Amino acid sequence: MPRRNGPSHTMPLAPAILRSFVRRDGFGLFLLALLTGGLAGGCVLVINTVTLGMHVVLYGLHNGGRLSELPALPLWRCLMVLGFGGLVVGVMGAVLRRRMVRRPVDPVEANALHGGRMSVRDSISLAVQTVLSNGVGASIGLEAGYVQISAAFGSWLGRLFRVRREELRILVGAGAAGAVSAGFDAPIAGAFYAFEIVLGTYSLVNLFPIALAAMAGLGVRHLVHVKGGVPPLMMSWHMGWSAVPGVSVLAILCALTAIVIMYCVTQTQWVFQKLPVPIWLRPVVGGVLVACLAASFPSVLSAGHGGVGLVLAGKVVPSLALLLLLLKAVASCLSIGSGFRGGLFFASLFLGVLAGEGFGDLLAHYGLAPADGQVCAVLGMAAMATAIIGGPMTMICLVLEMTGNMTISSAVVLAAVLSLLTVRRLFGYNFATWRFHLRGETIRSAVDVGRLRALTVQKLMRAQVRSFPAAMTIQQAQAQLTLGIEERLVLVDEDGRYQGIVLVSEITAAPATEKTVSTLACYRDVMLDPHMTIREAADLFAEAEADVLAVVEDRQSRQLVGQLSERHTLRCYAVELERSRRDLAGDGRFSV
């Protein structure tokens, strides 16, 4: 007998077995979620260690690498580190843009449009750029980097074991949950981050794998005894009815500040794009400008972990807090706008404590805010972070877990909810969806719309369409038509260009004259494009109040390629929506 090659026969067996577990009882999915959370915790550990080590070496620190705790820094060192670091980031970004065939897809976009498919290689490159940016002191956070790479590993594991689309999306969320849990020592916030930001919805069926991943990430953090974070706060303040107006005003002020910051980031990007310098030199310019601010106020550097601790410990007076709020916002805009890679996750927490401390002191003089600066700082942190990140339960749990104080939970909830409502009413986006909007994307969350986008008019239309010349007279048309066979005629000119649709009933009811049938045509300028999504087609049907529309190659050529009915479109749309609803709710995934 011929000898069998063991690995070639056994390797495909593992994915098949695990896939059967996933479909039967979910054990395989739970195992993959646990492994994803562990990998996420490891990624966070490596990224944080490397970044803090860079701070220590590049800035000559002896406090463990907490830049934002320092009272001052030499200007020459800031200019050298941020200038040279900007050059490295700029050159690396230029090289990667030439070699990468596509832009890296983040977890939100992956789950919304690509069914959870992410590239590990692209994510590693983005994480490395984030580490370099934060490591040289740019005013951005690391969370975008380690959430990106952790979610990508979850996607890679899911594709390795050939899980279904809905399970792949869950594993992307599991990676994000493990990363946030490990990064902040906050497993509940990590789980809510996965649901609100990465999956786009809450689901009881998905709770266990997400919770497993969050606990696994936390376990890795505790296994290596990672220290740091905000010490528990001893506050005995309780919100009464008299404090509600003050908390509300403080939350709304923080939300308005967040809107200004998000808008200014995009305007700063536009300004840097207009600079007459090569794209790889833009981070150098941004780094030099940030260095000028950081020499006297090092709190604007990096994400601001040390700075948050100083504010919550009462070591920053309100007037200085307002100044630092302005400088930190400017530094973050310059860093992101010039091309440093990173996000505003933890930066929003630091901006929030500064805003809460500063605005709270101003409002307290008029009896409109709590007199305790610590309380105002915590409320500002919740409001600002909710406005920028967009996950109210994530930020509520994160703030409460970070501070270890539940006595102000009702005020934190009120501040977060009012901030979210203010931003949605006045701005409509969080920072992530705002940047999607600027790129032309219409997604508002990570809810899976990829299948709806993939379902285009070209896939739904009927290509065999009988067309009639628009120059044909009504008398000729009446002679050629057979009642009961056609309901409507699609008219084209002598070059095959679409000229409208006319109902057969209108032709038969019209006098037999030499007028052309085009005089009876409707929907002359209403037509479908083959690349339109099913949702866009449904909206066009509703706007035109049409039962059937013609499909043309493009609006310029108007060459007829098919037709599509509203009934077929809405039926297919309803089927896809029901499938998406079942995937979100987890219906039918596991047998009971």
Side-chain angles (χ1 to χ4, degrees):
M1 294 179 61
R3 189 179 66 167
R4 293 184 177 179
N5 189 337
S8 65
H9 288 273
T10 58
M11 284 299 289
L13 186 60
I17 293 176
L18 187 54
R19 191 178 185 187
S20 68
F21 280 164
V22 170
R23 289 188 170 180
R24 186 171 67 249
D25 46 28
F27 289 155
L29 178 62
F30 300 155
L31 179 62
L32 288 180
L34 186 66
L35 182 57
T36 299
L39 286 173
C43 291
V44 172
L45 173 64
V46 171
I47 289 175
N48 285 340
T49 302
V50 171
T51 306
L52 292 176
M54 291 180 65
H55 292 170
V56 170
V57 172
L58 296 176
Y59 287 92
L61 304 184
H62 302 284
N63 65 348
R66 300 296 183 184
L67 284 172
S68 55
E69 291 180 351
L70 302 176
L73 278 171
L75 178 60
W76 67 268
R77 186 182 288 273
C78 294
L79 289 172
M80 182 183 68
V81 174
L82 278 163
F84 182 74
L87 180 62
V88 173
V89 171
V91 172
M92 177 179 291
V95 172
L96 290 174
R97 276 189 292 271
R98 290 182 179 180
R99 294 189 175 183
M100 295 170 63
V101 297
R102 59 186 178 278
R103 176 183 50 81
V105 176
D106 76 354
V108 176
E109 189 177 0
N111 269 359
L113 302 179
H114 306 291
R117 300 182 69 88
M118 298 179 65
S119 169
V120 174
R121 184 181 64 178
D122 293 349
S123 298
I124 290 176
S125 68
L126 189 146
V128 170
Q129 292 178 79
T130 303
V131 169
L132 287 175
S133 299
N134 188 283
V136 300
S139 187
I140 44 89
L142 289 168
E143 294 74 24
Y146 55 64
V147 168
Q148 176 81 23
I149 188 61
S150 301
F153 276 129
S155 177
W156 172 73
L157 283 173
R159 286 182 284 116
L160 178 65
F161 290 98
R162 307 174 194 170
V163 301
R164 293 173 295 185
R165 182 187 182 98
E166 56 268 29
E167 279 91 27
L168 189 62
R169 297 179 71 254
I170 293 172
L171 290 176
V172 171
V180 173
S181 176
F184 293 94
D185 197 11
I188 301 177
F192 274 112
Y193 182 88
F195 283 125
E196 289 188 314
I197 308 299
V198 181
L199 293 176
T201 185
Y202 303 102
S203 174
L204 184 61
V205 175
N206 297 335
L207 176 61
F208 191 55
I210 297 297
L212 273 179
M215 295 306 297
L218 184 68
V220 172
R221 177 189 176 99
H222 290 178
L223 184 65
V224 297
H225 305 288
V226 174
K227 297 180 181 180
V230 178
L233 300 180
M234 294 292 139
M235 293 182 292
S236 58
W237 183 82
H238 295 270
M239 185 179 69
W241 285 109
S242 60
V244 170
V247 173
S248 302
V249 172
L250 181 61
I252 293 172
L253 283 176
C254 290
L256 295 175
T257 305
I259 293 174
V260 172
I261 292 172
M262 289 187 285
Y263 181 76
C264 287
V265 168
T266 59
Q267 293 304 303
T268 308
Q269 287 178 322
W270 181 83
V271 170
F272 273 96
Q273 289 171 359
K274 298 298 181 181
L275 289 180
V277 297
I279 188 172
W280 53 271
L281 274 181
R282 294 174 190 169
V284 178
V285 178
V288 169
L289 293 175
V290 172
C292 294
L293 301 176
S296 300
F297 302 96
S299 295
V300 305
L301 293 176
S302 188
H305 291 77
V308 169
L310 292 177
V311 176
L312 294 180
K315 298 180 181 180
V316 178
V317 296
S319 57
L320 179 58
L322 288 175
L323 177 60
L324 289 178
L325 171 64
L326 175 62
L327 296 179
K328 178 65 178 178
V330 171
S332 296
C333 291
L334 290 172
S335 298
I336 297 176
S338 62
F340 286 101
R341 301 307 296 261
L344 289 177
F345 192 108
F346 198 92
S348 68
L349 298 175
F350 187 28
L351 290 166
V353 296
L354 294 172
E357 177 84 8
F359 293 152
D361 181 70
L362 294 176
L363 295 173
H365 291 300
Y366 303 97
L368 292 177
D372 192 333
Q374 270 191 336
V375 173
C376 292
V378 172
L379 297 181
M381 179 165 56
M384 183 75 72
T386 300
I388 293 177
I389 305 304
M393 287 303 302
T394 301
M395 294 308 157
I396 290 169
C397 294
L398 181 61
V399 168
L400 295 179
E401 287 181 290
M402 284 178 63
T403 60
N405 193 298
M406 295 297 295
T407 60
I408 60 171
S409 57
S410 56
V412 169
V413 171
L414 177 61
V417 170
L418 281 178
S419 175
L420 181 70
L421 292 176
T422 301
V423 172
R424 286 192 173 181
R425 179 68 176 175
L426 300 180
F427 193 59
Y429 304 91
N430 59 43
F431 186 59
T433 55
W434 172 238
R435 301 186 81 176
F436 290 147
H437 167 73
L438 293 177
R439 293 206 309 259
E441 291 287 352
T442 58
I443 58 175
R444 294 296 185 94
S445 72
V447 173
D448 190 5
V449 297
R451 282 186 300 212
L452 286 176
R453 287 199 174 187
L455 200 58
T456 61
V457 168
Q458 189 171 18
K459 295 180 180 179
L460 300 176
M461 71 180 187
R462 181 163 63 89
Q464 289 77 28
V465 181
R466 186 182 177 188
S467 60
F468 290 81
M472 182 172 58
T473 66
I474 296 177
Q475 185 177 8
Q476 291 172 335
Q478 290 176 344
Q480 293 181 19
L481 290 177
T482 304
L483 294 179
I485 301 299
E486 292 102 357
E487 294 184 8
R488 57 187 57 81
L489 305 182
V490 180
L491 305 180
V492 296
D493 61 15
E494 60 274 9
D495 296 323
R497 293 167 55 87
Y498 170 70
Q499 297 298 313
I501 296 176
V502 60
L503 296 177
V504 171
S505 58
E506 293 187 4
I507 295 177
T508 56
T513 64
E514 294 299 321
K515 291 183 178 180
T516 61
V517 291
S518 60
T519 58
L520 304 176
C522 55
Y523 312 123
R524 295 174 182 270
D525 296 318
V526 181
M527 60 202 85
L528 296 170
D529 184 280
H531 303 293
M532 278 185 174
T533 65
I534 187 173
R535 183 170 184 175
E536 292 171 337
D539 291 342
L540 188 58
F541 274 114
E543 181 182 351
E545 299 181 355
D547 296 324
V548 174
L549 287 176
V551 183
V552 298
E553 187 175 327
D554 55 67
R555 297 190 68 89
Q556 287 72 34
S557 68
R558 299 175 66 101
Q559 293 296 312
L560 182 67
V561 294
Q563 71 177 25
L564 180 63
S565 69
E566 182 185 33
R567 179 182 301 177
H568 181 61
T569 302
L570 295 181
R571 182 168 60 248
C572 294
Y573 190 39
V575 170
E576 287 300 323
L577 286 179
E578 175 62 16
R579 184 181 300 176
S580 298
R581 185 202 66 78
R582 291 176 62 85
D583 288 347
L584 290 174
D587 294 348
R589 185 182 303 146
F590 309 130
S591 59
V592 180

